[in-house]
């Protein structure tokens, strides 16, 4: 799979393909091509700067700066688990950047704080215009074309995880149900699933805190893990209104049951209204 491609799939004579984004970054002598190849070997990332690492947990973080001939800004890449990655981006490019994103069976929680990210699936075009939250599930083999425009600063982050990782995490913490995970498990495995939501103030705060982390080295890696878990809590937990409705409904049912027991055991015959 090529890491660089035109958005319309055509190759007119004399046309120059747009430069790639992240997956065209070199790991050793070759473009990474996939997220697992990229995050799996952050030390092999050409021009990468190691931020911190925890060898016992196979966790690692690296910074990749945009070449000054292409624009300015940087990416930060965090491998927190073999199935949990975080990518932060704060970049402005001199020319449009575009690449094919191979489907790897990953759930993506993408937080766009500023700028516009365009995704082209086999069935539709998606525009993530900041500030917004994009939830995406890309089954294996379901590729997407991703594009950032020239001259527009883009600031945001993506959290990637496999459904099985999310399932284990929820199970360990006694969380029996997750609508997002259930949706992914029941989804057609040949089609990209997505949902775009308004970005809440709380989630905006968490994402900005990760992008503007004041920590360095191992503390920066540790901070990113805390923020990753906070992002998942923000995205997956029921909204306060939903919790209140469930609590109110449960309380009402219990009160009705109590009244029914009193009427059935303490009054014989059961009194009537009239």
């Amino acid at each position: 799979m090529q890491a660089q491609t035109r958005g319309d799939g055509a190759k007119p004579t004399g046309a120059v393909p747009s430069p790639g984004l992240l997956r065209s970054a070199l790991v050793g002598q070759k473009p990474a091509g996939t997220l697992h190849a990229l995050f799996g070997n952050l030390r092999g990332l050409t021009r990468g700067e190691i931020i911190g690492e925890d060898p016992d947990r196979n966790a690692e973080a690296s910074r990749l700066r945009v070449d000054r001939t292409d624009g300015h800004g940087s990416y930060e890449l965090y491998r927190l688990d073999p199935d949990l990655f975080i990518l932060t981006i704060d970049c402005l490019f001199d020319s449009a950047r575009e690449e094919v994103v191979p489907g790897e069976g990953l759930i993506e929680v993408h937080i766009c704080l500023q700028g516009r990210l365009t995704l082209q699936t086999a069935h539709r075009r998606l525009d993530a215009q900041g500030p917004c939250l994009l939830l995406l599930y890309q089954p294996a083999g379901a590729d997407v074309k991703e594009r950032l425009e020239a001259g527009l600063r883009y600031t945001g982050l993506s959290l990637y995880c496999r459904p099985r990782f999310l399932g284990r995490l929820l199970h360990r913490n006694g969380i029996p149900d997750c609508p997002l995970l259930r949706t992914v498990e029941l989804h057609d495995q040949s089609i990209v699933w997505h949902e775009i939501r308004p970005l809440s103030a709380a989630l905006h705060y968490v994402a900005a805190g990760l992008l503007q982390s004041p920590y360095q080295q191992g503390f920066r890696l540790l901070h990113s893990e805390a923020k990753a878990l906070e992002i998942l809590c923000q995205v997956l937990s029921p909204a306060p209104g939903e919790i209140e409705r469930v609590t109110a409904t449960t309380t009402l049912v219990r009160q009705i049951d109590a009244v029914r027991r009193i009427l059935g055991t303490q009054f014989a015959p059961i009194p009537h209204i009239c």
Side-chain angles (χ1 to χ4, degrees):
M1 179 68 65
Q2 292 290 328
Q4 303 177 14
T5 182
R6 286 179 54 82
D8 55 11
K11 298 181 179 179
T13 302
V16 178
S18 299
L21 279 158
L22 190 66
R23 292 159 188 81
S24 60
L26 297 179
V27 176
Q29 301 299 317
K30 301 187 303 182
T34 66
L35 287 177
H36 274 87
L38 182 65
F39 282 91
N41 187 14
L42 292 180
R43 280 201 168 274
L45 181 62
T46 303
R47 298 188 299 108
E49 308 166 12
I50 293 296
I51 296 173
E53 59 184 337
D54 182 347
D56 290 341
R57 296 192 304 117
N58 193 27
E60 199 168 46
S62 181
R63 182 180 296 109
L64 180 63
R65 300 189 187 277
V66 174
D67 192 286
R68 291 184 179 180
T69 61
D70 296 328
H72 64 268
S74 65
Y75 302 97
E76 289 189 1
L77 303 94
Y78 299 87
R79 183 182 70 244
L80 305 174
D81 180 275
D83 289 326
L84 176 63
F85 314 133
I86 281 190
L87 164 70
T88 70
I89 176 173
D90 186 0
C91 297
L92 187 152
F93 295 105
D94 295 333
S95 60
R97 316 292 291 193
E98 194 170 82
E99 72 182 11
V100 167
V101 179
E104 300 181 59
L106 295 171
I107 295 172
E108 177 180 0
V109 177
H110 182 78
I111 301 172
C112 174
L113 298 180
Q114 177 182 348
R116 183 175 72 251
L117 174 67
T118 301
L119 303 175
Q120 182 66 55
T121 74
H123 300 89
R124 61 177 63 86
R125 168 176 160 160
L126 312 176
D127 287 307
Q129 178 73 51
C132 74
L133 169 65
L134 169 65
L135 302 178
L136 193 78
Y137 173 61
Q138 244 186 295
D143 297 349
V144 169
K145 292 176 183 177
E146 186 174 85
R147 180 183 177 90
L148 291 179
E149 300 301 329
L152 295 176
R153 182 180 178 185
Y154 193 84
T155 306
L157 65 84
S158 286
L159 180 151
Y160 302 94
C161 66
R162 286 200 182 279
R164 67 188 181 201
F165 169 86
L166 191 55
R168 291 197 305 265
L169 180 66
L170 297 173
H171 178 73
R172 287 203 310 266
N173 289 277
I175 302 171
D177 184 54
C178 172
L180 174 61
L181 190 57
R182 188 168 63 248
T183 296
V184 165
E185 290 173 344
L186 296 175
H187 183 67
D188 184 338
Q189 293 299 301
S190 65
I191 300 174
V192 174
W193 173 86
H194 82 283
E195 183 177 318
I196 296 179
R197 302 177 183 174
L199 186 63
S200 68
L203 199 51
H204 189 290
Y205 179 80
V206 176
L210 179 53
L211 281 154
Q212 300 164 11
S213 175
Y215 303 104
Q216 302 299 324
Q217 300 178 340
F219 287 106
R220 197 175 186 91
L221 179 60
L222 186 62
H223 182 246
S224 72
E225 182 175 16
K227 289 297 183 182
L229 294 176
E230 190 170 1
I231 288 169
L232 287 174
C233 288
Q234 287 282 344
V235 171
L236 301 178
S237 63
E242 294 177 9
I243 295 175
E244 291 170 5
R245 284 195 296 274
V246 171
T247 302
T249 300
T250 302
T251 301
L252 181 60
V253 169
R254 288 174 178 171
Q255 290 172 342
I256 292 173
D257 285 342
V259 171
R260 185 181 293 113
R261 286 197 300 272
I262 292 172
L263 291 176
T265 59
Q266 297 187 20
F267 295 95
I270 297 176
H272 298 281
I273 294 176
C274 56

